[in-house]
Amino acid sequence: MNTTSDLSLGRRVMALLDGLARHSDEPGRLTRLYLSPAHRDAAETTLRFMREAGLDSHIDPLGTVVGRMSGADPDAPALLIGSHIDTVVDAGRFDGTLGVVLGIVVAETLRAEGITPSCPIEVLAFGDEENARFPTNLSTSYALSGRYNPTWLDGRDQDGVSLRDALIRFGGDPEGIAGIARNPARYKGYLEVHIEQGPLLEARNLPVGIVSAINGITRARATVTGEAGHAGTVPMTMRRDALAAVAEMIGIVERAGSTRTDTVATVGVAQVQPGAINVIPARVDFTLDARSPDDAVRHAMVEDIVSECEAAAQRRGVSLTIEPFMDSPATPMDKDLILGLEEAVGTIGVTPLRLPSGAGHDAVAMASLCPAAMLFVRCKDGISHNPAESITVEDADAAARVLVEAVKKLTAGAPR
Ligand SMILES: [Zn+2]
């Protein structure tokens, strides 16, 4: 139907992104950590963008920028649109910020077209998604669902500054956190647009895709203990080489991740002791990170990995301990919102593709408040957390048109 565009929305998105990319804690590269001076500046700029778009806006006690457009029925459950404006160190300019800017562009578009939504629309710019400064993760979005843990305020950055002190310096208010929590009955859904951070959309030649679920993660620490010996004198048949055993286990992990749908499994750390060129390795400590959009699939995969690694250890005469230390469930996206996004993707002439998210997002926290869904935007070579992060104006435009369509549909008609 509406398959051609003058790219005006895409250009507007890029202009707003330019406005936010100026705010960095480090000259010459983009670093915007939670509650830093650059975060404050970016929050102020976001606040200005929201006000210019006609939104009733403020910065909440944890630094989230909130902009509200009233609806025909001001008491109808509101639609939320958001993402984050904090970044990693030496970041790209799209991760998070794109989703915030798109929310503002939707508000501008509705206003320009003279559309009053049936329910209020709120645009949110969260501040603590990247886990790059404090030990916290998604703290600003969890606050909305009433899940802010006050002990998070005692977390410290690498300079020893507590989150509480940083928040006060930022102009926030630790006493006001409880007041951020929202009543789930007042919200109909949360939409987040984000760069894919992976290569799938590019491989499929699609500008956007719809997230099916945000992957759950199981993590474990493992230790294999064998026996040290002289690399020159101990015959191959009489060795208990811990590293050779782990090499086999890494193969098991890789196969386990590769042979199931949408799963990934990684050994990211392996420390060898004693670590000398002429000594048979006696001990290896390694890690496992296994992810899947389906909790049952992930648990079965991890069970298989454990039993196959135990069998390998037994065959080789080494001992193995595996200690899981994290099991974070998958977050399925809301079925009705997924259908709404798919329909909107169809209206711009693009085939809707569902894909899981391998990375966590504010939508994980928001799904504990209300139904949540995400739209991914193709990024060059799947690169993120890197200044080379890049999207095209055409894809930004496609994402904006999809979001405008979806929001119009979700907020159309007489409120019930
Ligand atoms: Zn992000």
Side-chain angles (χ1 to χ4, degrees):
M1 157 187 165
N2 184 17
T3 53
T4 56
S5 166
D6 61 1
L7 299 184
S8 58
L9 293 183
R11 290 203 183 90
R12 180 65 184 149
V13 167
M14 293 305 205
L16 293 179
L17 286 168
D18 283 346
L20 282 164
R22 292 185 290 118
H23 301 302
S24 175
D25 294 313
E26 294 181 295
R29 60 180 193 172
L30 177 57
T31 299
R32 201 161 58 223
L33 305 183
Y34 179 42
L35 302 178
S36 69
H39 179 213
R40 180 76 215 184
D41 292 344
E44 295 287 352
T45 297
T46 304
L47 187 71
R48 180 166 59 80
F49 289 164
M50 287 181 178
R51 288 189 172 149
E52 287 167 1
L55 301 175
D56 180 11
S57 309
H58 68 280
I59 299 177
D60 86 5
L62 281 173
T64 299
V65 194
V66 181
R68 190 169 173 100
M69 173 184 250
S70 56
D73 177 357
D75 295 323
L79 178 66
L80 304 169
I81 306 170
S83 197
H84 59 97
I85 54 171
D86 63 318
T87 75
V88 295
V89 172
D90 198 14
R93 51 164 56 203
F94 301 96
D95 182 339
T97 313
L98 175 67
V100 172
V101 158
L102 275 162
I104 295 170
V105 168
V106 165
E108 289 177 347
T109 305
L110 295 186
R111 196 175 183 218
E113 295 182 11
I115 294 171
T116 303
S118 63
C119 63
I121 296 174
E122 249 182 63
V123 182
L124 302 162
F126 296 114
D128 184 26
E129 200 276 340
E130 293 290 10
N131 190 214
R133 179 173 180 189
F134 298 102
T136 52
N137 187 216
L138 307 178
S139 64
T140 54
S141 38
Y142 272 122
L144 266 74
S145 67
R147 285 168 170 77
Y148 195 93
N149 182 337
T151 65
W152 293 344
L153 290 166
D154 301 323
R156 289 181 187 274
D157 68 9
Q158 61 179 14
D159 297 326
V161 178
S162 73
L163 200 159
R164 179 183 284 101
D165 288 346
L167 182 60
I168 291 166
R169 231 170 283 169
F170 179 90
D173 176 17
E175 306 300 316
I177 294 171
I180 295 172
R182 310 291 184 95
N183 173 0
R186 312 275 303 126
Y187 299 93
K188 62 156 60 180
Y190 170 77
L191 296 178
E192 179 168 358
V193 183
H194 202 281
I195 56 167
E196 182 198 351
Q197 304 181 270
L200 209 70
L201 291 172
E202 199 169 59
R204 300 287 187 92
N205 198 24
L206 292 169
V208 294
I210 299 120
V211 175
S212 54
I214 297 171
N215 282 353
I217 309 177
T218 300
R219 286 183 175 159
R221 289 185 197 92
T223 301
V224 167
T225 310
E227 192 174 35
H230 195 297
T233 60
V234 183
M236 296 306 285
T237 52
M238 299 174 72
R239 294 183 177 201
R240 296 194 296 128
D241 182 332
L243 183 57
V246 170
E248 189 176 335
M249 293 172 193
I250 292 172
I252 289 166
V253 170
E254 188 184 36
R255 264 194 310 283
S258 316
T259 48
R260 293 170 174 81
T261 309
D262 291 336
T263 55
V264 287
T266 308
V267 175
V269 173
Q271 279 158 342
V272 183
Q273 291 177 44
I277 193 168
N278 59 352
V279 180
I280 298 163
R283 173 180 168 140
V284 179
D285 297 289
F286 66 102
T287 58
L288 170 68
D289 176 302
R291 305 188 188 209
S292 163
D294 184 316
D295 290 334
V297 169
R298 189 180 75 260
H299 290 145
M301 169 168 72
V302 171
E303 265 175 42
D304 285 357
I305 288 171
V306 170
S307 68
E308 285 182 50
C309 287
E310 278 170 350
Q314 205 166 18
R315 260 195 325 275
R316 289 171 166 274
V318 297
S319 72
L320 167 69
T321 59
I322 300 185
E323 224 179 283
F325 65 92
M326 171 180 170
D327 188 62
S328 162
T331 308
M333 297 288 94
D334 180 73
K335 286 192 178 61
D336 291 335
L337 291 179
I338 287 177
L339 291 173
L341 285 175
E342 285 186 339
E343 203 180 309
V345 167
T347 62
I348 66 157
V350 171
T351 309
L353 172 79
R354 287 190 200 185
L355 69 168
S357 171
H361 294 287
D362 287 298
V364 171
M366 294 305 287
S368 60
L369 174 72
C370 63
M374 289 189 77
L375 184 77
F376 271 172
V377 181
R378 168 170 56 189
C379 58
K380 190 168 188 295
D381 299 328
I383 290 170
S384 69
H385 288 187
N386 184 320
E389 202 175 274
S390 171
I391 70 169
T392 63
V393 66
E394 287 81 6
D395 289 358
D397 191 77
R401 286 188 294 144
V402 167
L403 192 61
V404 166
E405 275 303 319
V407 169
K408 279 183 181 171
K409 198 86 178 211
L410 286 164
T411 63
R416 279 185 291 170

